[in-house]
Amino acid sequence: MTAEEAIALIDHLLQSLKKKQKLNDIQSLVFLETWEGHSYQEIADSLLYEPDYIKHVGSHLWRNLSQIIGEKVSKQNLQAVLRRYQHGRASDNCIQDWGEAIDVSEFYNRQQELETLETWISGNSTRLIGIFGLGGIGKTSLSVKFAQQIQSQFEFAIWRSLQQAPTLDVILSNILPILTNSEHTNNHSIDALMEQLRQKRCLLIFDNLESILQGGNRSGQYQQGYEDYRQLLARIADEPHRSCLILTGREQPGGFALRSGENLPVRSLKLFGVSPPVCQQILAAKGLKATLLQCQDIVNYFGGNPLALKLAATTIKTLFGGDIHAFLVQGNTVFSDLWDLLDRQFDRLSPLQQKIMYWIAINQEGATPAKLKAEILPKVSGRHLMEALEALAERSLIEDRRSLNDTASTSLMLQPAIVEYVRERLLQTAEQ
């Protein structure tokens, strides 16, 4: 859809729904400039208007369009929403296969992330997207919600879980018959898939990528027998085609970071925790009434991890009779379900990475790479240490925070819940 086609569509909508109105000259200019990606300041400078006036015109226009289309329209998602509306939004022409995709009827405010993903997809040039973050942070839910939201822009939408570590041959033998509309397809090669991705506009989603990756000191390395996934991702990233593959995982696969960038066809989204108001919604869904201050304390402790918040809500209901204050007063505790979640991630770490986690958990104040290198035993080389730190950061287990007084000083931090888990695990190890 061109900018001119979009204006024609808007004029048609306004004329049919708003008493024969059309965009006036300034509205048309603001729309065109916004469509081209210009900021309000740039538009004001170009048209010799005050920036506040241009912002007012734009805000009024997006509000009217939101009311007419029935979906929130903003500067960021303008192209994506109008393209989706042009395609009828109904997705009747999209062949869908959702596999084991989860129900996302209860979805908590990832609007900014959804708009970012829509922007990447709307230009038709993004071939590969990765959604990465800690276990339980909401990657799967976001991938399903986003895929449902944009499916009408594609001829095919296929969601597959890699949680049981299927080989690539199994995945291709499952997907290609859908794309070719033939159960008798014998060619299940990467070449065959690439040909379909060139001929048709397909949306593929592979969830839980970490299931086919190795644990250990270097993140992103494929398990033995799964190296052909690397070839598939490289070809999808590097070769021109009409389709897009979305990955979710706790870490980026090898070669992904090298190919991703702001102006490249490969994009990466790091997912973080939710805000206190969203925490309030999650607790309310469990029948708990929490103040924003209480939610702030809970979010700080659990890093805003939605799964951890849901597990905490269950604990508050069952062990504390729904009394959030009593839960907070007793002191934070890593309960069994959250312990199991962290266990699975900790067990994937190399011995060196586990030692680093123990050291940071004990030395929360002033935990710097230089101090870590000087104190960790047995001694390790700088290269091996930095490799391990990079892998831990990639897996969202440590955070790099800069000092307010010295921005050049790096402080290694763990979320409070992870600190408690690691310290308790260290005690258990010492008692054995």
Side-chain angles (χ1 to χ4, degrees):
M1 175 187 283
T2 66
E4 290 73 18
E5 289 171 338
I7 285 184
L9 173 62
I10 293 171
D11 283 341
H12 172 74
L13 292 172
L14 289 172
Q15 287 177 333
S16 61
L17 300 175
K18 302 283 282 186
K19 299 181 180 179
K20 306 297 181 182
Q21 293 181 6
K22 295 177 64 175
L23 294 180
N24 60 34
D25 290 344
I26 185 63
Q27 288 175 326
S28 296
L29 289 170
V30 170
F31 179 89
L32 284 169
E33 293 290 328
T34 300
W35 186 274
E36 296 298 327
H38 297 143
S39 68
Y40 287 137
Q41 183 64 57
E42 291 170 336
I43 298 171
D45 292 342
S46 174
L47 301 180
L48 303 180
Y49 281 97
E50 290 294 324
D52 287 346
Y53 175 68
I54 296 298
K55 183 177 181 180
H56 171 76
V57 171
S59 299
H60 183 71
L61 179 57
W62 315 144
R63 187 163 55 250
N64 283 344
L65 288 176
S66 299
Q67 293 173 352
I68 294 171
I69 292 175
E71 181 178 349
K72 182 181 177 181
V73 178
S74 68
K75 274 179 91 269
Q76 289 72 32
N77 70 358
L78 174 63
Q79 292 194 19
V81 171
L82 289 181
R83 284 193 174 100
R84 185 161 59 251
Y85 190 87
Q86 185 187 41
H87 285 121
R89 301 181 69 216
S91 73
D92 290 339
N93 296 324
C94 178
I95 297 173
Q96 308 162 45
D97 190 318
W98 294 100
E100 300 173 349
I102 62 174
D103 178 18
V104 290
S105 55
E106 289 187 5
F107 185 79
Y108 298 101
N109 192 25
R110 290 286 191 183
Q111 190 60 40
Q112 183 176 349
E113 290 86 350
L114 287 170
E115 290 184 2
T116 296
L117 292 168
E118 278 196 84
T119 301
W120 292 348
I121 287 285
S122 63
N124 294 340
S125 61
T126 303
R127 304 171 194 150
L128 180 60
I129 293 174
I131 302 173
F132 304 109
L134 198 63
I137 205 67
K139 303 178 296 294
T140 299
S141 297
L142 181 63
S143 74
V144 176
K145 186 69 173 181
F146 177 60
Q148 291 177 350
Q149 187 169 296
I150 63 164
Q151 60 186 339
S152 62
Q153 299 183 35
F154 294 85
E155 299 170 58
F156 293 85
I158 301 174
W159 193 97
R160 287 293 179 268
S161 173
L162 303 183
Q163 189 167 25
Q164 300 303 316
T167 64
L168 183 58
D169 185 65
V170 169
I171 289 291
L172 294 181
S173 63
N174 179 271
I175 289 176
L176 280 166
I178 300 172
L179 299 180
T180 59
N181 194 28
S182 173
E183 295 182 0
H184 305 292
T185 301
N186 294 320
N187 186 355
H188 300 151
S189 65
I190 294 176
D191 285 339
L193 177 63
M194 293 306 301
E195 182 63 26
Q196 293 300 314
L197 299 186
R198 284 189 290 267
Q199 291 179 3
K200 299 158 185 172
R201 183 148 168 79
C202 310
L203 176 65
L204 306 179
I205 304 96
F206 292 172
D207 188 48
N208 290 117
L209 182 70
E210 70 276 359
S211 300
I212 62 171
L213 300 179
Q214 299 179 21
N217 213 40
R218 295 185 63 189
S219 64
Q221 304 302 303
Y222 291 90
Q223 295 183 39
Q224 185 175 0
Y226 294 89
E227 295 89 349
D228 45 2
Y229 275 96
R230 175 192 292 274
Q231 182 186 357
L232 172 66
L233 300 191
R235 293 190 62 179
I236 288 177
D238 297 342
E239 297 180 16
H241 55 80
R242 303 172 55 200
S243 304
C244 183
L245 169 63
I246 297 176
L247 305 170
T248 78
R250 296 176 185 175
E251 59 194 79
Q252 296 187 37
F256 193 95
L258 181 66
R259 290 179 168 89
S260 65
E262 186 172 342
N263 299 308
L264 296 173
V266 179
R267 306 302 296 266
S268 176
L269 179 67
K270 186 75 172 286
L271 209 56
F272 297 98
V274 298
S275 64
V278 175
C279 172
Q280 199 172 38
Q281 295 176 34
I282 292 173
L283 297 182
K286 289 280 191 176
L288 298 172
K289 293 184 179 180
T291 66
L292 280 177
L293 189 59
Q294 288 174 327
C295 289
Q296 182 69 66
D297 289 340
I298 295 173
V299 164
N300 288 344
Y301 180 68
F302 294 110
N305 187 301
L307 178 57
L309 297 179
K310 292 174 184 178
L311 295 175
T314 300
T315 298
I316 293 169
K317 290 276 287 187
T318 56
L319 298 184
F320 294 88
D323 189 339
I324 296 173
H325 176 72
F327 171 76
L328 293 172
V329 167
Q330 60 86 37
N332 298 312
T333 301
V334 179
F335 33 84
S336 60
D337 288 333
L338 181 57
W339 184 279
D340 292 341
L341 175 67
L342 293 173
D343 252 350
R344 290 194 293 272
Q345 300 189 71
F346 199 84
D347 288 341
R348 286 176 56 85
L349 304 182
S350 69
L352 175 57
Q353 289 171 348
Q354 292 183 0
K355 287 180 182 178
I356 291 173
M357 294 287 287
Y358 291 141
W359 187 88
I360 296 175
I362 295 171
N363 299 275
Q364 278 285 283
E365 296 297 327
T368 65
K371 188 175 180 183
L372 171 62
K373 186 175 185 300
E375 296 184 2
I376 194 167
L377 295 173
K379 297 293 185 181
V380 297
S381 69
R383 181 177 69 83
H384 287 142
L385 183 64
M386 294 309 298
E387 191 176 77
L389 287 173
E390 288 173 359
L392 288 171
E394 181 60 43
R395 290 166 175 154
S396 302
L397 289 171
I398 63 172
E399 300 174 4
D400 173 359
R401 298 183 184 176
R402 305 283 173 167
S403 168
L404 293 176
N405 299 321
D406 181 7
T407 56
S409 176
T410 299
S411 180
L412 304 172
M413 305 289 291
L414 305 178
Q415 293 176 7
I418 296 178
V419 170
E420 183 177 343
Y421 163 80
V422 173
R423 288 176 176 174
E424 182 66 25
R425 181 159 173 152
L426 179 60
L427 287 174
Q428 291 184 358
T429 301
E431 292 171 356
Q432 292 175 356

